[in-house]
Amino acid sequence: MKKKEEKTEESISIGLLDILKNKYAKSNFSTANSIQSLQRFRSGIAGIDCLLGGGWPVGRVVELAGKESAGKSAISIRACLHEVENKYTALYQDLEQTVTREYLEYMGVSGEVAERFICNVPTYGEEAVDIGLVAAADETVRLIVTDSVPFMMPKTVLDKLGDDSAYNPSAMSQAAMFNRLKQNIVSGLTYSNSCWLFINQIRDNTNSVYGGVHSPGGHTLAHLYSIRLHITHTSLEADKPGLIKSHIKSIKNKTFTPGLGTEIPIYKGRVQLGQSLVIEAVKVGLINKSGSWYSLDNEFREQQGIQLSKLGQGDEKAGKVLEDSPETYKLLYDEVLKTHIDKYCLKLGGDT
Protein backbone atom coordinates (compact mmCIF):
# COMPACT_ATOMS: atom_id res chain seq x y z
CA MET A 1 0.00 0.00 0.00
CA LYS A 2 2.83 2.38 0.79
CA LYS A 3 4.36 2.09 -2.72
CA LYS A 4 0.97 2.69 -4.29
CA GLU A 5 0.47 5.88 -2.26
CA GLU A 6 3.90 7.24 -3.24
CA LYS A 7 3.17 6.57 -6.91
CA THR A 8 -0.17 8.34 -6.62
CA GLU A 9 1.43 11.43 -5.06
CA GLU A 10 4.06 11.50 -7.82
CA SER A 11 1.44 11.27 -10.54
CA ILE A 12 -0.54 14.10 -8.92
CA SER A 13 2.62 16.26 -8.87
CA ILE A 14 3.37 15.57 -12.54
CA GLY A 15 -0.25 16.15 -13.45
CA LEU A 16 -0.27 19.53 -11.72
CA LEU A 17 2.95 20.50 -13.53
CA ASP A 18 1.38 19.66 -16.91
CA ILE A 19 -1.75 21.63 -16.06
CA LEU A 20 0.27 24.69 -15.06
CA LYS A 21 2.46 24.49 -18.17
CA ASN A 22 -0.58 24.28 -20.44
CA LYS A 23 -2.47 27.09 -18.74
CA TYR A 24 0.49 29.44 -18.24
CA ALA A 25 2.60 28.72 -21.29
CA LYS A 26 4.65 31.90 -20.96
CA SER A 27 5.74 31.11 -17.40
CA ASN A 28 8.66 28.84 -16.60
CA PHE A 29 7.75 25.83 -14.46
CA SER A 30 10.12 23.09 -13.30
CA THR A 31 10.60 20.70 -10.43
CA ALA A 32 13.33 21.36 -7.85
CA ASN A 33 15.62 18.62 -9.15
CA SER A 34 15.56 20.03 -12.69
CA ILE A 35 16.69 23.55 -11.74
CA GLN A 36 20.16 24.27 -13.08
CA SER A 37 23.01 24.76 -10.62
CA LEU A 38 24.70 28.15 -10.40
CA GLN A 39 27.85 28.48 -12.49
CA ARG A 40 30.76 30.79 -11.64
CA PHE A 41 33.93 32.11 -13.20
CA ARG A 42 36.88 33.60 -11.36
CA SER A 43 37.78 37.27 -11.17
CA GLY A 44 41.52 36.57 -10.85
CA ILE A 45 41.60 38.46 -7.53
CA ALA A 46 41.73 36.06 -4.57
CA GLY A 47 40.01 38.40 -2.12
CA ILE A 48 37.10 39.09 -4.47
CA ASP A 49 36.63 35.42 -5.36
CA CYS A 50 36.51 34.51 -1.66
CA LEU A 51 33.81 37.11 -0.99
CA LEU A 52 31.76 36.01 -4.00
CA GLY A 53 31.92 32.34 -3.06
CA GLY A 54 34.25 31.14 -5.82
CA GLY A 55 33.87 33.74 -8.55
CA TRP A 56 31.38 35.91 -10.46
CA PRO A 57 27.94 34.20 -10.58
CA VAL A 58 26.71 33.61 -14.14
CA GLY A 59 23.42 35.30 -14.99
CA ARG A 60 23.45 37.56 -11.93
CA VAL A 61 23.86 41.27 -11.17
CA VAL A 62 26.57 42.42 -8.74
CA GLU A 63 27.21 45.83 -7.17
CA LEU A 64 30.63 47.22 -6.25
CA ALA A 65 30.15 50.46 -4.34
CA GLY A 66 32.46 52.83 -2.53
CA LYS A 67 33.55 56.43 -2.16
CA GLU A 68 35.89 58.18 -4.59
CA SER A 69 39.45 56.84 -4.97
CA ALA A 70 38.53 53.61 -3.20
CA GLY A 71 39.71 51.29 -5.99
CA LYS A 72 36.40 50.46 -7.72
CA SER A 73 37.61 51.05 -11.27
CA ALA A 74 40.99 49.40 -10.62
CA ILE A 75 39.30 46.23 -9.37
CA SER A 76 36.75 46.09 -12.21
CA ILE A 77 39.32 46.71 -14.97
CA ARG A 78 41.60 44.05 -13.47
CA ALA A 79 38.64 41.63 -13.50
CA CYS A 80 37.93 42.47 -17.16
CA LEU A 81 41.60 41.95 -18.00
CA HIS A 82 41.45 38.48 -16.45
CA GLU A 83 38.63 37.55 -18.83
CA VAL A 84 40.29 38.82 -22.01
CA GLU A 85 43.53 37.08 -21.01
CA ASN A 86 41.52 33.84 -20.94
CA LYS A 87 40.25 34.38 -24.53
CA TYR A 88 36.84 35.75 -23.51
CA THR A 89 35.33 39.17 -24.18
CA ALA A 90 34.63 41.91 -21.64
CA LEU A 91 32.46 45.01 -22.06
CA TYR A 92 33.35 48.13 -20.06
CA GLN A 93 30.77 50.92 -20.13
CA ASP A 94 32.59 54.14 -19.26
CA LEU A 95 29.75 56.56 -18.57
CA GLU A 96 32.08 58.75 -16.50
CA GLN A 97 34.37 59.06 -19.57
CA THR A 98 37.55 58.80 -17.52
CA VAL A 99 39.22 55.82 -19.25
CA THR A 100 42.03 56.63 -21.67
CA ARG A 101 44.21 54.49 -23.91
CA GLU A 102 47.27 55.28 -21.81
CA TYR A 103 45.46 54.25 -18.64
CA LEU A 104 44.37 50.91 -20.08
CA GLU A 105 47.88 50.19 -21.37
CA TYR A 106 49.24 50.99 -17.92
CA MET A 107 46.74 48.52 -16.42
CA GLY A 108 47.94 45.84 -18.86
CA VAL A 109 45.26 46.06 -21.56
CA SER A 110 47.44 46.09 -24.68
CA GLY A 111 48.35 43.97 -27.67
CA GLU A 112 46.11 41.03 -28.58
CA VAL A 113 44.00 41.16 -25.41
CA ALA A 114 43.00 44.75 -26.16
CA GLU A 115 40.96 43.50 -29.14
CA ARG A 116 38.65 41.62 -26.76
CA PHE A 117 38.37 44.51 -24.27
CA ILE A 118 35.40 46.52 -25.58
CA CYS A 119 34.83 50.05 -24.26
CA ASN A 120 31.57 51.89 -24.67
CA VAL A 121 30.23 55.34 -23.68
CA PRO A 122 26.40 55.18 -23.61
CA THR A 123 24.48 58.42 -24.00
CA TYR A 124 21.76 57.67 -21.45
CA GLY A 125 20.67 55.00 -19.01
CA GLU A 126 18.27 53.05 -21.22
CA GLU A 127 20.91 52.81 -23.94
CA ALA A 128 23.45 51.46 -21.45
CA VAL A 129 21.01 48.70 -20.46
CA ASP A 130 20.19 47.85 -24.09
CA ILE A 131 23.88 47.60 -25.03
CA GLY A 132 24.58 45.45 -21.96
CA LEU A 133 21.77 43.05 -22.89
CA VAL A 134 23.06 42.72 -26.47
CA ALA A 135 26.50 41.90 -25.06
CA ALA A 136 25.02 39.36 -22.64
CA ALA A 137 23.45 37.50 -25.56
CA ASP A 138 26.95 36.88 -26.99
CA GLU A 139 28.39 33.58 -25.71
CA THR A 140 31.95 34.95 -25.67
CA VAL A 141 31.11 37.81 -23.25
CA ARG A 142 31.72 36.87 -19.62
CA LEU A 143 31.85 40.17 -17.74
CA ILE A 144 29.90 43.39 -18.29
CA VAL A 145 30.90 46.44 -16.24
CA THR A 146 28.86 49.65 -16.01
CA ASP A 147 30.82 52.56 -14.53
CA SER A 148 28.86 54.07 -12.93
CA VAL A 149 25.20 54.00 -11.83
CA PRO A 150 24.83 57.75 -10.96
CA PHE A 151 25.68 58.60 -14.60
CA MET A 152 22.88 56.39 -15.97
CA MET A 153 20.42 59.23 -16.42
CA PRO A 154 17.07 58.49 -18.15
CA LYS A 155 16.63 59.82 -21.68
CA THR A 156 13.63 61.95 -20.68
CA VAL A 157 15.73 63.72 -18.05
CA LEU A 158 18.54 64.48 -20.50
CA ASP A 159 16.04 65.80 -23.06
CA LYS A 160 14.48 68.16 -20.54
CA LEU A 161 17.87 69.37 -19.36
CA GLY A 162 18.50 70.56 -22.91
CA ASP A 163 15.43 72.81 -22.85
CA ASP A 164 15.63 76.49 -21.98
CA SER A 165 13.07 76.05 -19.22
CA ALA A 166 14.35 75.32 -15.73
CA TYR A 167 14.21 71.64 -14.81
CA ASN A 168 15.32 70.04 -11.61
CA PRO A 169 15.58 66.24 -11.99
CA SER A 170 15.07 64.16 -8.88
CA ALA A 171 16.60 60.87 -7.83
CA MET A 172 13.17 59.29 -8.34
CA SER A 173 13.49 59.54 -12.12
CA GLN A 174 16.49 57.20 -12.17
CA ALA A 175 14.82 54.81 -9.72
CA ALA A 176 11.73 54.76 -11.96
CA MET A 177 13.93 53.91 -14.96
CA PHE A 178 15.40 50.87 -13.21
CA ASN A 179 11.93 49.86 -12.08
CA ARG A 180 10.84 49.77 -15.74
CA LEU A 181 13.94 47.92 -16.94
CA LYS A 182 14.48 45.44 -14.11
CA GLN A 183 12.61 42.60 -15.80
CA ASN A 184 14.54 43.13 -19.05
CA ILE A 185 17.84 42.85 -17.16
CA VAL A 186 16.82 39.70 -15.31
CA SER A 187 15.42 38.01 -18.43
CA GLY A 188 18.42 38.98 -20.55
CA LEU A 189 20.92 37.52 -18.08
CA THR A 190 19.02 34.35 -17.18
CA TYR A 191 20.29 32.27 -20.12
CA SER A 192 23.55 34.12 -20.72
CA ASN A 193 27.16 33.29 -19.84
CA SER A 194 27.70 36.74 -18.34
CA CYS A 195 27.76 38.50 -15.02
CA TRP A 196 26.82 42.20 -14.92
CA LEU A 197 28.84 44.37 -12.52
CA PHE A 198 27.42 47.79 -11.65
CA ILE A 199 29.88 50.23 -10.09
CA ASN A 200 28.14 52.56 -7.68
CA GLN A 201 28.99 55.43 -5.37
CA ILE A 202 28.35 55.77 -1.66
CA ARG A 203 26.85 59.12 -0.71
CA ASP A 204 25.86 60.74 2.55
CA ASN A 205 22.15 60.53 3.28
CA THR A 206 21.05 64.16 3.57
CA ASN A 207 17.32 63.39 3.68
CA SER A 208 17.41 61.94 7.18
CA VAL A 209 18.13 63.53 10.53
CA TYR A 210 19.95 60.35 11.49
CA GLY A 211 22.53 60.68 8.71
CA GLY A 212 23.98 57.49 7.26
CA VAL A 213 24.92 56.64 3.69
CA HIS A 214 23.18 55.27 0.61
CA SER A 215 23.98 54.28 -2.98
CA PRO A 216 22.09 55.75 -5.99
CA GLY A 217 19.68 53.72 -8.11
CA GLY A 218 16.77 53.36 -5.73
CA HIS A 219 15.42 50.35 -3.86
CA THR A 220 14.61 48.48 -7.08
CA LEU A 221 18.26 48.30 -8.10
CA ALA A 222 19.30 47.32 -4.58
CA HIS A 223 16.88 44.38 -4.67
CA LEU A 224 18.01 43.47 -8.19
CA TYR A 225 21.57 42.80 -7.04
CA SER A 226 22.35 39.21 -6.08
CA ILE A 227 25.57 40.41 -4.45
CA ARG A 228 26.46 43.82 -3.01
CA LEU A 229 30.11 44.52 -2.26
CA HIS A 230 30.77 47.78 -0.43
CA ILE A 231 34.19 49.31 0.08
CA THR A 232 33.75 50.47 3.66
CA HIS A 233 37.04 52.37 3.89
CA THR A 234 40.60 52.51 2.62
CA SER A 235 43.82 52.53 4.61
CA LEU A 236 47.04 54.18 3.47
CA GLU A 237 50.49 52.72 4.06
CA ALA A 238 52.62 55.47 5.59
CA ASP A 239 55.92 53.80 4.70
CA LYS A 240 54.95 53.26 1.05
CA PRO A 241 53.23 56.16 -0.77
CA GLY A 242 50.83 55.02 -3.47
CA LEU A 243 49.78 51.82 -1.67
CA ILE A 244 46.24 51.60 -0.37
CA LYS A 245 44.21 48.70 0.99
CA SER A 246 40.52 48.73 0.08
CA HIS A 247 38.47 47.09 2.81
CA ILE A 248 35.47 45.38 1.21
CA LYS A 249 32.44 43.78 2.85
CA SER A 250 29.70 41.73 1.22
CA ILE A 251 26.58 43.34 2.70
CA LYS A 252 24.36 41.09 0.58
CA ASN A 253 25.05 37.74 -1.07
CA LYS A 254 22.24 35.46 -2.23
CA THR A 255 24.72 32.92 -3.65
CA PHE A 256 27.07 32.48 -0.68
CA THR A 257 27.50 33.45 2.97
CA PRO A 258 27.05 37.25 3.38
CA GLY A 259 28.82 39.53 5.84
CA LEU A 260 32.36 38.42 4.95
CA GLY A 261 35.16 40.94 4.48
CA THR A 262 38.56 41.26 2.86
CA GLU A 263 41.16 43.85 1.94
CA ILE A 264 42.46 44.37 -1.59
CA PRO A 265 45.97 45.93 -1.87
CA ILE A 266 46.29 48.44 -4.72
CA TYR A 267 49.65 50.00 -5.57
CA LYS A 268 49.79 52.94 -7.98
CA GLY A 269 46.35 52.04 -9.30
CA ARG A 270 47.09 48.35 -9.91
CA VAL A 271 45.60 45.49 -7.91
CA GLN A 272 48.35 43.42 -6.28
CA LEU A 273 47.23 39.88 -7.09
CA GLY A 274 49.97 38.00 -5.23
CA GLN A 275 49.58 40.13 -2.13
CA SER A 276 45.81 39.54 -2.12
CA LEU A 277 46.40 35.79 -2.35
CA VAL A 278 48.80 35.91 0.62
CA ILE A 279 46.21 37.76 2.73
CA GLU A 280 43.54 35.13 2.01
CA ALA A 281 45.93 32.19 2.42
CA VAL A 282 46.88 33.40 5.91
CA LYS A 283 43.19 33.47 6.89
CA VAL A 284 42.68 29.80 6.05
CA GLY A 285 46.04 28.62 7.40
CA LEU A 286 47.76 27.73 4.11
CA ILE A 287 50.45 30.35 4.75
CA ASN A 288 52.04 30.72 8.18
CA LYS A 289 52.94 34.14 9.51
CA SER A 290 55.65 34.56 12.13
CA GLY A 291 56.08 38.22 12.92
CA SER A 292 56.45 39.80 9.48
CA TRP A 293 57.80 36.62 7.83
CA TYR A 294 55.67 34.37 5.64
CA SER A 295 56.07 30.70 4.72
CA LEU A 296 53.91 28.02 3.12
CA ASP A 297 52.20 25.52 5.41
CA ASN A 298 54.27 22.32 5.58
CA GLU A 299 51.28 19.98 5.25
CA PHE A 300 50.08 21.81 2.14
CA ARG A 301 53.59 21.70 0.63
CA GLU A 302 53.89 17.95 1.18
CA GLN A 303 50.45 17.22 -0.28
CA GLN A 304 51.11 19.27 -3.43
CA GLY A 305 54.80 18.39 -3.76
CA ILE A 306 55.94 22.01 -3.60
CA GLN A 307 59.62 22.71 -2.99
CA LEU A 308 59.16 26.41 -2.17
CA SER A 309 58.93 27.05 1.58
CA LYS A 310 59.90 30.55 2.74
CA LEU A 311 58.16 33.44 0.99
CA GLY A 312 59.92 36.41 2.53
CA GLN A 313 59.29 39.32 4.86
CA GLY A 314 56.05 41.24 4.39
CA ASP A 315 52.97 40.26 2.39
CA GLU A 316 54.13 42.35 -0.58
CA LYS A 317 57.40 40.44 -1.03
CA ALA A 318 55.66 37.13 -0.33
CA GLY A 319 53.15 37.94 -3.05
CA LYS A 320 55.88 38.68 -5.59
CA VAL A 321 57.59 35.35 -4.80
CA LEU A 322 54.32 33.56 -5.54
CA GLU A 323 53.79 35.49 -8.77
CA ASP A 324 57.26 34.43 -9.90
CA SER A 325 56.25 30.78 -9.32
CA PRO A 326 53.13 30.31 -11.51
CA GLU A 327 52.60 26.63 -10.66
CA THR A 328 52.75 27.26 -6.91
CA TYR A 329 50.54 30.33 -7.34
CA LYS A 330 47.82 28.29 -9.12
CA LEU A 331 47.94 25.41 -6.64
CA LEU A 332 47.68 27.81 -3.70
CA TYR A 333 44.88 29.81 -5.35
CA ASP A 334 42.81 26.67 -5.95
CA GLU A 335 43.34 25.41 -2.41
CA VAL A 336 42.55 28.81 -0.85
CA LEU A 337 39.18 28.96 -2.63
CA LYS A 338 38.34 25.35 -1.78
CA THR A 339 39.24 25.80 1.90
CA HIS A 340 37.44 29.15 2.11
CA ILE A 341 34.24 27.75 0.58
CA ASP A 342 34.30 24.71 2.88
CA LYS A 343 34.79 26.99 5.87
CA TYR A 344 32.09 29.59 5.17
CA CYS A 345 29.64 27.69 2.99
CA LEU A 346 26.09 27.30 4.31
CA LYS A 347 25.76 23.62 5.18
CA LEU A 348 22.15 22.49 4.99
CA GLY A 349 21.13 19.37 6.89
CA GLY A 350 23.25 17.10 9.06
CA ASP A 351 24.97 18.22 12.24
CA THR A 352 25.01 21.94 13.02
Side-chain angles (χ1 to χ4, degrees):
M1 289 296 295
K2 187 176 180 182
K3 290 184 178 179
K4 188 175 180 181
E5 290 176 0
E6 289 179 354
K7 186 176 180 181
T8 303
E9 290 176 359
E10 183 181 356
S11 62
I12 291 174
S13 177
I14 295 175
L16 175 60
L17 186 62
D18 292 336
I19 293 172
L20 292 173
K21 285 182 177 180
N22 292 332
K23 188 172 183 179
Y24 304 97
K26 294 183 179 180
S27 297
N28 185 11
F29 291 98
S30 60
T31 56
N33 56 8
S34 63
I35 298 176
Q36 293 183 353
S37 59
L38 179 65
Q39 303 297 318
R40 299 179 186 270
F41 59 93
R42 295 180 182 179
S43 68
I45 307 172
I48 296 296
D49 284 341
C50 287
L51 286 187
L52 295 173
W56 302 114
V58 174
R60 301 298 183 95
V61 184
V62 180
E63 177 192 44
L64 177 61
K67 293 190 175 182
E68 67 278 359
S69 299
K72 303 184 297 296
S73 297
I75 292 172
S76 57
I77 290 178
R78 177 58 247 188
C80 288
L81 179 58
H82 180 74
E83 295 310 312
V84 297
E85 287 177 341
N86 286 280
K87 309 299 182 182
Y88 291 100
T89 304
L91 172 65
Y92 192 91
Q93 296 184 317
D94 180 30
L95 284 91
E96 297 183 2
Q97 301 187 41
T98 57
V99 174
T100 63
R101 181 176 179 179
E102 292 78 12
Y103 176 66
L104 289 177
E105 289 179 347
Y106 172 75
M107 297 294 286
V109 184
S110 60
E112 181 187 355
V113 299
E115 297 297 325
R116 296 187 292 273
F117 193 107
I118 301 175
C119 292
N120 164 241
V121 183
T123 307
Y124 46 89
E126 291 91 342
E127 184 182 56
V129 172
D130 289 342
I131 293 172
L133 292 176
V134 172
D138 191 320
E139 294 182 355
T140 64
V141 177
R142 290 276 287 267
L143 187 61
I144 303 167
V145 177
T146 300
D147 187 7
S148 61
V149 170
F151 284 80
M152 296 180 68
M153 298 304 296
K155 187 176 185 300
T156 54
V157 172
L158 294 178
D159 291 341
K160 290 182 179 180
L161 286 175
D163 297 340
D164 294 334
S165 59
Y167 177 67
N168 184 23
S170 66
M172 293 179 62
S173 57
Q174 189 185 55
M177 178 191 72
F178 283 113
N179 192 44
R180 293 196 313 271
L181 299 175
K182 64 179 184 296
Q183 196 58 44
N184 294 347
I185 297 174
V186 172
S187 301
L189 286 176
T190 299
Y191 300 104
S192 74
N193 295 326
S194 308
C195 176
W196 199 330
L197 174 63
F198 282 95
I199 298 179
N200 212 340
Q201 300 173 3
I202 291 180
R203 297 178 175 177
D204 294 328
N205 191 358
T206 58
N207 296 325
S208 172
V209 294
Y210 301 103
V213 296
H214 75 286
S215 56
H219 292 293
T220 297
L221 192 58
H223 289 290
L224 181 63
Y225 298 129
S226 292
I227 302 174
R228 302 184 71 188
L229 305 179
H230 279 202
I231 303 177
T232 57
H233 64 285
T234 57
S235 57
L236 303 176
E237 299 295 324
D239 58 339
K240 190 168 185 179
L243 176 63
I244 67 169
K245 288 187 177 180
S246 297
H247 298 260
I248 307 179
K249 184 177 181 179
S250 61
I251 64 171
K252 175 185 177 182
N253 195 334
K254 299 182 75 173
T255 68
F256 192 62
T257 305
L260 304 178
T262 189
E263 56 183 46
I264 305 297
I266 302 174
Y267 181 56
K268 293 183 178 180
R270 292 176 177 170
V271 177
Q272 303 301 294
L273 302 180
Q275 196 172 353
S276 176
L277 179 57
V278 170
I279 293 171
E280 297 304 320
V282 170
K283 291 180 182 179
V284 295
L286 293 175
I287 288 182
N288 298 321
K289 181 181 178 183
S290 178
S292 60
W293 290 87
Y294 292 83
S295 61
L296 288 172
D297 179 66
N298 290 330
E299 184 178 350
F300 169 69
R301 286 178 54 244
E302 293 175 359
Q303 289 177 351
Q304 302 295 337
I306 299 173
Q307 299 297 325
L308 182 64
S309 176
K310 295 182 179 179
L311 299 177
Q313 186 177 20
D315 55 10
E316 181 186 359
K317 290 184 179 179
K320 288 182 179 179
V321 171
L322 289 174
E323 290 178 5
D324 292 337
S325 305
E327 292 184 4
T328 303
Y329 184 96
K330 185 180 183 306
L331 289 172
L332 182 61
Y333 201 111
D334 293 343
E335 193 64 25
V336 164
L337 285 187
K338 180 180 179 299
T339 308
H340 180 88
I341 292 172
D342 290 342
K343 182 178 180 180
Y344 293 105
C345 168
L346 292 173
K347 297 180 180 179
L348 303 180
D351 297 331
T352 56

